[in-house]
Amino acid sequence: MKKITVAMYDAEGYTARLAEYFTHHQCDILDVRLFTNEESLQKYFNAHSVDLLLVDEDMMDMLPNLSDKVHKQILLSDGQRVRESAAETVLFKYQSAECILQEVLSMIADDDKIYVPTRKKQMGGTRFVGVYAPFGGAGVSTLALRLARSYGGTEKCLYVDMELFDGIGNELESKAGDSWRNVYQGGMSDLIFFLRQNKDKLGLKVESLVRHGEQVDYIAAVEDYRDLYQMTTENLHRFLRVLAEETQYSHIVFDIGFFSEMTMELLKCLDAFYMPQPQTDRQRKKQQSFESLLRREGELDVISEIQYVAVE
């Protein structure tokens, strides 16, 4: 399978660990070449072209003109001087290797001129697990995160935050120190926008949005609650198909914090549907109203799939 060629040039050795991280986490689609001197770089470019070239911003002027050999140049900047043209993108080089890789994957997914072969899952089927309650204060996110961590202890599991507002981002924050409180770093809003554009390389886009937190991989909540209501049933089915066919996750846990036509369709697609046990009369009445809605819609199978769980 043809891979995406990524060249890195760094005379000071800064990108060596970055190249190692790229290779370790995306060796199936990225062919990473690290160059530490101009002579070896020039020799390679005399015979090859590359999709992406990552180079320190301060070293860019020292290189020969490679525009006819490079599809896109990515400048690694310390933030002191920033330049950017149509053929160049600037990334802050002192962020984590995980964040840089995710930004690069997102660029590839958004670039229609870079071809990425569809990767097929090398394992068995994917189970879709959902947690939802028609009443608030029930501990839906607590239960969903508990399930995700439980599955993730033995198999690959992805937690998808479909809440209207981010409430657990800081809890899922990785040790790398990425702050969810101050900066939106990509999540369901980006995914929904990509879905609505009906662009190819959705699997790669999903990977670019996955964060690696404490004991769980996850896609963060939307930046704007209105984005979730823009997600159609067609968008949903495409998303589920890619999760099942093009990712290596055996379990996908959906933390569902709103209700729409798309939500109803998702509930019908679940392999397991968990609902926190109602604790008050008001919660029980809302649970009964929800089941009445399902009966009116003829969704008796969804009712039969509900598993009530006590959440402490």
Side-chain angles (χ1 to χ4, degrees):
M1 182 180 75
K2 182 183 181 300
K3 297 184 179 182
I4 300 166
T5 307
V6 179
M8 298 184 183
Y9 174 65
D10 179 13
E12 299 178 0
Y14 167 79
T15 58
R17 292 182 64 183
L18 184 62
E20 182 181 356
Y21 187 89
F22 273 43
T23 300
H24 178 73
H25 288 275
Q26 290 294 335
C27 63
D28 55 338
I29 66 166
L30 300 182
D31 178 12
V32 181
R33 306 295 181 100
L34 176 63
F35 302 94
T36 57
N37 63 76
E38 184 179 334
E39 181 180 356
S40 61
L41 178 71
Q42 185 62 61
K43 184 177 179 180
Y44 181 82
F45 274 92
N46 286 338
H48 305 87
S49 59
V50 302
D51 295 297
L52 303 173
L53 171 63
L54 276 71
V55 60
D56 192 286
E57 187 177 34
D58 292 331
M59 297 181 181
M60 191 63 212
D61 293 332
M62 305 176 189
L63 296 179
N65 184 14
L66 301 174
S67 59
D68 60 331
K69 293 286 189 175
V70 178
H71 173 67
K72 192 170 189 65
Q73 296 174 2
I74 300 175
L75 307 183
L76 300 176
S77 173
D78 60 5
Q80 298 300 312
R81 53 187 290 261
V82 176
R83 69 180 196 186
E84 187 170 358
S85 68
E88 298 171 346
T89 298
V90 176
L91 295 181
F92 181 57
K93 68 179 182 180
Y94 294 127
Q95 60 184 317
S96 68
E98 176 186 347
C99 288
I100 294 176
L101 175 58
Q102 287 174 318
E103 291 197 56
V104 169
L105 292 178
S106 183
M107 290 178 203
I108 295 170
D110 290 330
D111 193 326
D112 295 331
K113 294 182 179 180
I114 299 180
Y115 172 71
V116 179
T118 300
R119 293 177 293 173
K120 296 299 182 182
K121 179 167 289 188
Q122 302 297 316
M123 55 188 291
T126 299
R127 284 180 54 81
F128 298 126
V129 178
V131 183
Y132 172 74
F135 42 84
V140 170
S141 294
T142 298
L143 177 56
L145 188 55
R146 183 187 304 166
L147 286 169
R149 284 175 168 156
S150 174
Y151 295 133
T154 56
E155 301 179 75
K156 286 184 67 64
C157 176
L158 177 67
Y159 171 93
V160 180
D161 193 336
M162 299 185 77
E163 290 274 357
L164 293 171
F165 301 97
D166 173 38
I168 59 174
N170 288 327
E171 183 177 350
L172 293 174
E173 186 177 328
S174 69
K175 289 183 177 180
D178 300 326
S179 173
W180 286 92
R181 287 172 293 185
N182 301 319
V183 181
Y184 178 71
Q185 296 178 310
M188 286 300 297
S189 287
D190 302 79
L191 178 66
I192 294 167
F193 179 75
F194 196 87
L195 280 165
R196 290 178 60 79
Q197 288 183 308
N198 199 31
K199 299 185 70 171
D200 296 328
K201 297 185 282 190
L202 177 59
L204 193 64
K205 188 66 175 180
V206 170
E207 287 194 45
S208 76
L209 295 173
V210 172
R211 301 287 171 177
H212 307 288
E214 292 297 318
Q215 300 177 306
V216 64
D217 289 356
Y218 61 101
I219 297 179
V222 290
E223 181 180 23
D224 188 313
Y225 73 94
R226 287 165 288 202
D227 294 335
L228 279 173
Y229 292 103
Q230 296 296 315
M231 190 172 182
T232 67
T233 57
E234 291 80 8
N235 297 155
L236 171 69
H237 282 293
R238 186 174 176 224
F239 182 34
L240 297 181
R241 186 167 59 252
V242 167
L243 289 173
E245 297 178 356
E246 298 182 33
T247 74
Q248 296 302 307
Y249 293 104
S250 62
H251 287 79
I252 312 293
V253 176
F254 296 94
D255 179 354
I256 307 169
F258 77 112
F259 199 80
S260 69
E261 182 180 358
M262 187 277 295
T263 310
M264 177 74 85
E265 189 68 19
L266 175 58
L267 296 181
K268 292 189 286 185
C269 296
L270 295 176
D271 297 294
F273 176 12
Y274 294 95
M275 183 181 293
Q277 185 75 44
Q279 299 296 317
T280 66
D281 287 341
R282 182 168 296 176
Q283 288 181 346
R284 280 187 283 272
K285 288 178 180 178
K286 289 188 177 183
Q287 174 252 328
Q288 292 165 3
S289 295
F290 174 66
E291 291 193 9
S292 295
L293 169 65
L294 294 176
R295 290 191 185 93
R296 290 197 303 271
E297 295 293 321
E299 303 299 345
L300 299 181
D301 288 343
V302 175
I303 297 177
S304 66
E305 289 293 329
I306 301 175
Q307 300 180 55
Y308 291 98
V309 179
V311 179
E312 298 179 358

